Amino acid sequence: MRRATRMATTDEQLRLMTRVARMYHERGMRQPQIAEELRISQPRVSRLLKQAVELGIVRTIVVPPAGVFTDLEEAVQTRYGLRDMAIVDVEGEGEEVLPALGAATAVYLETTLMEGDRVGISSWSATLLATVEAMRSKPGGRFLEQVVQLVGGVGDPKVQVQATRLMGRLADITGAEPIFISAPGVVGNRAARDAIVADPKVADVIASWDRLTVALVGIGSLEPSPLLRQSGNIFSAEEQEELRRLGGVGDISLHFFDEDGTLLNTDLDERVIGIAPDTFRGIPRRIGVAGGHRKYAAIRAALRGGWIDVLITDLGVARRLADEPDRSTP
């Protein structure tokens, strides 16, 4: 079709088309100026510019600026079936990547959260704390409906203040109603858990998880983060060793999975007061924020298992994810 169009175009038309294209794209002239200088109508200028694109005389090339990794983002999205991804131009471990991840996630949330969203958040995450500290209020005040805690938060008072600050600040910035769960993240046995979740106040929070539109979570490695370790909301060293023996590599909201992202079949889940895996997977948009090579296995597993559909991570992890061998290849 393009060849036939070109053959039907005379040399004089091609010359005029090329001249108009150069005046518009190279010299920055407006269409009315071009029409006046060449003494042709403005609609004809517009048609000539359109034809120049159709015939390949004008080609648009997008050149990403430094620090933007669109091709890499698209490669990881395609491989793991993500709806979106953001890569931060930083590499390293822990404290080295945390500030940049937090700042990038803040910008992502500011531009993608919608009015009326109900956001569930895992409160024991230093990265998410850095995120909300970097966020700015939107003009016009309230736009989120609720900010809801996804896992129990009662722990060491000195550390609890950090989790409360995370939830409180996000609620303040967005004008949302904060909903805290007044219960520990981990209890001694199933009977204790059943008694706590039967409390009407706790039951109301659990019911709100079904109405969430967005989840914002950290991705934990098998080794608990310093913040979570200090909180007291963790399993014992013996239980962590058992998770390791079963092939555990990471967790989301204290639900542990293996390298394929498959939930580990243990009775530990019965001791967690937090959102159930099936309820979590039912949230329409699930944003995972994590970085550093120490967390690579956990991040990859969360992607393989479909725990999250949006990933915000650092450049080093993203490159490793893109270079991961195709598991379908023998």
Side-chain angles (χ1 to χ4, degrees):
M1 179 66 71
R2 177 172 289 183
R3 180 177 295 176
T5 303
R6 182 158 194 149
M7 289 175 63
T9 306
T10 66
D11 289 344
E12 183 56 39
Q13 288 174 316
L14 289 172
R15 279 194 291 271
L16 180 59
M17 200 181 298
T18 303
R19 185 176 181 189
V20 168
R22 295 191 69 172
M23 293 170 76
Y24 184 78
H25 291 284
E26 295 181 2
R27 293 168 59 186
M29 295 176 64
R30 297 177 180 272
Q31 292 188 29
Q33 293 175 292
I34 297 171
E36 183 178 354
E37 182 167 323
L38 298 181
R39 297 189 179 279
I40 58 178
S41 69
Q42 186 174 333
R44 189 179 181 193
V45 171
S46 181
R47 286 196 301 273
L48 289 167
L49 287 171
K50 184 179 179 182
Q51 287 177 306
V53 173
E54 292 173 348
L55 294 176
I57 295 171
V58 174
R59 300 179 184 180
T60 302
I61 299 175
V62 177
V63 181
V68 175
F69 307 97
T70 309
D71 289 347
L72 184 55
E73 288 171 351
E74 291 177 354
V76 177
Q77 279 181 246
T78 300
R79 167 164 287 197
Y80 295 97
L82 296 173
R83 72 156 67 195
D84 201 2
M85 182 182 184
I87 297 173
V88 185
D89 190 9
V90 64
E91 296 184 63
E93 289 295 347
E95 296 297 325
E96 298 170 337
V97 303
L98 191 149
L101 273 180
T105 306
V107 173
Y108 184 85
L109 294 178
E110 289 166 0
T111 55
T112 62
L113 288 178
M114 305 292 289
E115 184 174 355
D117 270 336
R118 294 182 173 91
V119 180
I121 186 166
S122 58
S123 54
W124 300 104
S125 169
T127 306
L128 298 188
L129 182 59
T131 294
V132 298
E133 294 290 357
M135 286 183 70
R136 297 169 296 179
S137 300
K138 274 192 176 183
R142 178 176 181 176
F143 71 96
L144 289 188
E145 190 71 25
Q146 293 177 333
V147 173
V148 186
Q149 199 167 351
L150 291 181
V151 66
V154 175
D156 186 306
K158 291 186 238 182
V159 184
Q160 174 63 33
V161 69
Q162 304 281 12
T164 303
R165 193 172 93 213
L166 191 162
M167 288 276 297
R169 177 162 172 78
L170 183 58
D172 287 343
I173 292 168
T174 60
E177 174 193 7
I179 298 181
F180 297 90
I181 181 166
S182 299
V186 179
V187 293
N189 52 58
R190 180 173 180 173
R193 179 188 181 279
D194 290 346
I196 291 172
V197 300
D199 181 273
K201 291 183 180 178
V202 176
D204 284 346
V205 178
I206 292 173
S208 73
W209 291 333
D210 289 320
R211 300 188 293 272
L212 295 174
T213 59
V214 179
L216 177 63
V217 297
I219 302 172
S221 60
L222 204 59
E223 184 70 20
S225 69
L227 185 63
L228 183 58
R229 183 182 294 278
Q230 293 168 37
S231 75
N233 287 303
I234 60 171
F235 298 114
S236 69
E238 293 78 12
E239 289 164 337
Q240 290 175 48
E241 185 57 38
E242 174 67 6
L243 290 169
R244 189 173 288 107
R245 187 187 66 79
L246 293 171
V249 297
D251 80 285
I252 286 178
S253 296
L254 297 180
H255 296 299
F256 289 84
F257 41 78
D258 64 17
E259 65 176 1
D260 294 318
T262 302
L263 184 69
L264 295 182
N265 185 20
T266 73
D267 62 358
L268 297 181
D269 264 359
E270 297 178 352
R271 295 169 47 203
V272 173
I273 299 177
I275 189 168
D278 288 345
T279 304
F280 178 81
R281 291 171 183 272
I283 298 172
R285 188 153 60 107
R286 304 177 305 280
I287 305 168
V289 185
H293 293 299
R294 182 178 65 85
K295 286 197 173 183
Y296 174 72
I299 295 168
R300 182 185 60 186
L303 296 180
R304 287 176 173 175
W307 288 85
I308 60 173
D309 57 9
V310 177
L311 174 64
I312 302 174
T313 193
D314 64 90
L315 180 57
V317 167
R319 283 174 171 157
R320 289 182 67 182
L321 289 171
D323 292 340
E324 186 74 22
D326 188 345
R327 305 178 80 204
S328 64
T329 303

